[in-house]
Each structure stands twice: as C-alpha cells, then as structure tokens.
Amino acid sequence: MFDIAVFGSLFLTLFVIMDPPGITPIFLALTAGRPAKTQKRMAFQAVCVAFGVIAVFGVLGHQILNYLHVSVPALMIAGGLLLLLIALDLLTGKNDEPKATKDVNVALVPLGMPLLAGPGAIVSVILAVQKAHSVDTQISVWIAILAIHVVLWLVMRYSLLIIRLIKDGGVVLVTRLAGMMLSAIAVQQIINGITQVIRGS
C-alpha cells in the first residue's frame, strides 16, 4: 500500500521547490518583532495554509484553473509580482515591517501562499496526482505532500532559536538578506512565467 519511488520522487521535488532551509531567513524577517508564541503560531498557520491550498489544487487543480480561465504561467507571474512587492519592502526596511503585510497575517500571505504553496509546488502536485492511477501511488503522493509540510513546520518552528543568537542587529541583516533572496525568487518566477507564455504562443 506504499510506493517508495513515487513518495521519494515527489518529496524531493517539493523539497527543492518549497526549499525548507531557504525559507528560514524569510520567515524570520517577516515575523521579526513579534512574541515567540505568535511566531510559533504563524509557523503552524503558514504550513496549514500551504497544505490546504496544495490539497485543494491537488484534487481540483485543473477544474479551478479552467473555470477561472487562468493559465499556469499567469499564476506564476502574479505570484512573482506579489513576492517582489514584499521583497522591496524588506530590502528598503520601510517601517521595519513590510508594508504589504501590515494588515495581513504573514502566515497567510506571503508565507502560506505564494512562498510555500507557490505555482511550482501546485503544478508539481497536480501532475503527481494525475499520474497516480492506483491506490498505492495515490497514498504515496499524499504522504509525500504531508511529509514535506511537516518538515517545513519543523524548520520554521525551530528557526526561532536563531533569533536568540543573532540579536537585533542580526535580525536587520537577516531581513535584508531575505529581501534580496525573495526578490531573486520573485524575478525568476516572473521570468519562468513569461518564458512559458512565449513557448506556448
């Protein structure tokens, strides 16, 4: 009732795309200044949001995109633009907190989506679910999806220990680093979306 090859393939794919180690500085930057209890709750909420979004798209992905007349490249470009706005605020340090996230729980946007549950992860899950024709492969796919989210939660949950070591000056440095990384991710996502549009035309 378990296909280790399917599990391993999807888990590794999602690990590379969702990048648990790479999300650490971004998580720390976006949640800086909040009480530790709140940060822990946000880590859990972000993972729950990401899992919920990916689960919905895993089951109804094609139907949702077709109904909304939205292509995968359009989804990638939109997600990239959203991330770029957040990244610019992190880089410039406006008000010590990204303007785009002041009135929004960062566990929802941008952590849950589109950082964790981004276009790459969504498309990978849609394809994996489509290719899983037997009960064994279906179970393996969903266990892989659950496993990567557990890893993401553990990484973010225990990354809070870093804050105790780096202090306020380190947090500022991490924030700028996160902004630079996030802007690169955003630009690459936009490029990938535009490339797919050109190839499809």
Side-chain angles (χ1 to χ4, degrees), residues 26 73 75-88 90-91 110 114-115 119 178-194:
I26 298 172
L75 189 65
M76 295 177 74
I77 294 171
L81 290 173
L82 176 60
L83 291 181
L84 189 57
L85 289 175
I86 305 293
L88 290 175
L90 285 174
L91 279 170
L115 268 177
M180 185 173 65
M181 291 173 58
L182 194 56
S183 62
I185 293 171
V187 170
Q188 186 62 57
Q189 194 163 294
I190 294 170
I191 291 172
N192 291 344
I194 293 173

Side-chain angles (χ1 to χ4, degrees), residues 54-195:
I54 285 180
V56 168
F57 275 94
V59 176
L60 302 169
H62 274 294
Q63 294 90 325
I64 293 173
L65 294 180
N66 290 338
Y67 178 77
L68 296 174
H69 303 289
V70 174
S71 65
V72 172
L75 189 65
M76 295 177 74
I77 294 171
L81 290 173
L82 176 60
L83 291 181
L84 189 57
L85 289 175
I86 305 293
L88 290 175
D89 276 346
L90 285 174
L91 279 170
T92 55
K94 292 181 180 177
N95 299 322
D96 297 321
E97 182 178 357
K99 181 176 63 178
T101 65
K102 275 188 174 180
D103 301 320
V104 179
N105 184 348
V106 295
L108 307 179
V109 178
L111 281 174
M113 183 176 183
L115 268 177
L116 298 181
I122 289 172
V123 172
S124 296
V125 168
I126 290 175
L127 294 176
V129 170
Q130 277 188 331
K131 294 176 182 177
H133 300 299
S134 67
V135 174
D136 290 1
T137 52
Q138 284 281 354
I139 291 174
S140 302
V141 164
W142 287 103
I143 290 177
I145 293 170
L146 181 61
I148 191 61
H149 283 84
V150 170
V151 170
L152 285 164
W153 174 74
L154 289 173
V155 169
M156 289 191 291
R157 166 68 175 75
Y158 290 101
S159 68
L160 298 176
L161 298 174
I162 298 174
I163 293 180
R164 299 177 185 174
L165 300 175
I166 62 177
K167 307 300 182 183
D168 291 343
V171 169
V172 173
L173 177 62
V174 167
T175 300
R176 300 298 181 269
L177 175 63
M180 185 173 65
M181 291 173 58
L182 194 56
S183 62
I185 293 171
V187 170
Q188 186 62 57
Q189 194 163 294
I190 294 170
I191 291 172
N192 291 344
I194 293 173
T195 301

